[in-house]
Amino acid sequence: MNIAEILPRTLFSGKTVFITGGGSGINLGIARNFASLGANVAICSRDLAKLERAAAELRELGHQVLPVSADVRDPAAVAAALARCEAELGPASVIISGAAGNFICEAEKLSPNGFKTVVDIDLLGSFNVARAGFEQLRQTRGSVIFISAGIAWLPYSHQIHAAAAKAGIDSMMKNLALEWGRYGIRANSIAPGYIGDTEGTSRVAGGPVMDAVMATTPLGRLGTTDDIGQAAVFLASPLASFVTGTVVVVDGGHYLEGSAMLNAAQRALSAQAT
Ligand code: COA
């Protein structure tokens, strides 16, 4: 299903959407959905070659696409990327903070720098993006959307670093909703479940863990990047003009089953490895 068969192709015409992590996976899926509905999109990550490939695909949807490289851990680089976005495409009406890092590691084996690296990318990076985008969002009375995850509220084995970061993101999101509502800026999160063909899922749900994912997903399938893109479109659109400070869970109902089965599978995998 193409989103433009349901919503007007002009829904975001003349609007600018800035997306970190937009070169691949969920965030590229989000970019595709906004571009299908008329938006000009800036995609931002560390890897310019990957961004250029994604931009070539997105341009086929007929609108302006700006690939711009920055490490979200570097506030000056993020500010420069957003300034370039504004200069070339106009001020952002929508900012998606999706850049993230994760890997599987038992807590007692994780180095402080490993923990810090993921918190720096996910949490501090999200703050850097929202902070640098504030003036543009104030101008457009726009919306910021963070990419969270179920690990923010349910413990999943071997992801203490990402869990802490995502919980921090949701907390920050609620604070921004509270503080920036008076400027007409809305802040929300999306918590994706397991999305097929993404680096994130392949990093955390290999082998028996994937069997546990399927067994604990009431809708009986992996998500698609369009599932997340469509949720982002909803949150950014006038349909959600009174929605702020919330986490939209898009996981096929997996969170209803909890994480116990996955944790058992993950522990068994680690026991085999040692
Ligand atoms: N297990 C344990 N520790 C790990 C690890 C792993 N699989 N991968 C990295 N680390 C540790 C490193 O050992 C290092 O700590 P140390 O200095 O104490 O040894 C620290 O994390 C930083 O690693 P480094 O590779 O220098 O960081 P980076 O900035 O180049 O990469 C990562 C960031 C680690 C998050 C990397 O996996 C990445 O770039 N990921 C982006 C893509 C991604 O994760 N996508 C999925 C999103 S859900």
Side-chain angles (χ1 to χ4, degrees):
M1 191 250 326
N2 183 321
I3 197 165
E5 291 165 16
I6 297 177
L7 295 171
R9 285 175 191 277
T10 53
L11 189 60
F12 290 100
S13 287
K15 307 268 192 208
T16 298
V17 181
F18 180 91
I19 307 172
T20 65
S24 63
I26 285 175
N27 300 304
L28 175 55
I30 292 173
R32 207 179 285 123
N33 276 268
F34 279 103
S36 298
L37 299 176
N40 297 320
V41 297
I43 50 176
C44 175
S45 78
R46 284 180 292 177
D47 186 342
L48 191 57
K50 197 196 250 187
L51 290 173
E52 296 282 7
R53 286 193 296 277
E57 178 205 318
L58 292 169
R59 284 192 190 105
E60 288 179 12
L61 295 164
H63 307 288
Q64 291 185 71
V65 181
L66 174 68
V68 55
S69 79
D71 186 328
V72 294
R73 292 171 283 193
D74 177 349
V78 170
L82 271 152
R84 207 175 137 207
C85 169
E86 182 174 23
E88 296 195 25
L89 304 181
S93 294
V94 184
I95 293 180
I96 313 274
S97 176
N102 197 7
F103 49 79
I104 291 290
C105 186
E106 290 154 287
E108 67 273 22
K109 293 184 183 153
L110 181 63
S111 74
N113 191 42
F115 185 93
K116 178 180 183 300
T117 298
V118 170
V119 171
D120 279 353
I121 297 170
D122 293 21
L123 177 56
L124 183 59
S126 289
F127 174 75
N128 290 339
V129 170
R131 174 71 185 81
F134 169 70
E135 284 300 341
Q136 294 183 40
L137 292 176
R138 180 160 72 163
Q139 213 178 313
T140 57
R141 297 179 73 78
S143 158
V144 57
I145 299 170
F146 299 96
I147 302 302
S148 179
I151 50 177
W153 66 88
L154 256 188
Y156 283 71
S157 276
H158 306 3
Q159 296 184 62
I160 191 172
H161 41 321
K166 296 294 191 183
I169 285 174
D170 285 347
S171 176
M172 180 174 71
M173 174 275 290
K174 288 175 192 166
N175 279 272
L176 292 179
L178 192 66
E179 291 195 32
W180 290 357
R182 67 192 158 124
Y183 304 113
I185 300 172
R186 294 181 300 107
N188 292 288
S189 296
I190 297 172
Y194 293 87
I195 308 301
D197 288 332
T198 59
E199 187 180 350
T201 290
S202 60
R203 279 178 177 240
V204 301
V209 180
M210 178 52 74
D211 295 341
V213 167
M214 297 312 295
T216 54
T217 303
L219 289 182
R221 67 169 174 87
L222 291 179
T224 66
T225 59
D226 280 342
D227 288 323
I228 308 306
Q230 289 156 18
V233 161
F234 164 70
L235 284 173
S237 79
L239 295 171
S241 63
F242 206 47
V243 179
T244 195
T246 195
V247 181
V248 174
V249 183
V250 186
D251 73 346
H254 164 71
Y255 86 96
L256 300 167
E257 294 272 14
S259 58
M261 209 172 154
L262 277 75
N263 293 337
Q266 192 63 64
R267 277 195 296 272
L269 261 186
S270 298
Q272 272 173 25
T274 49

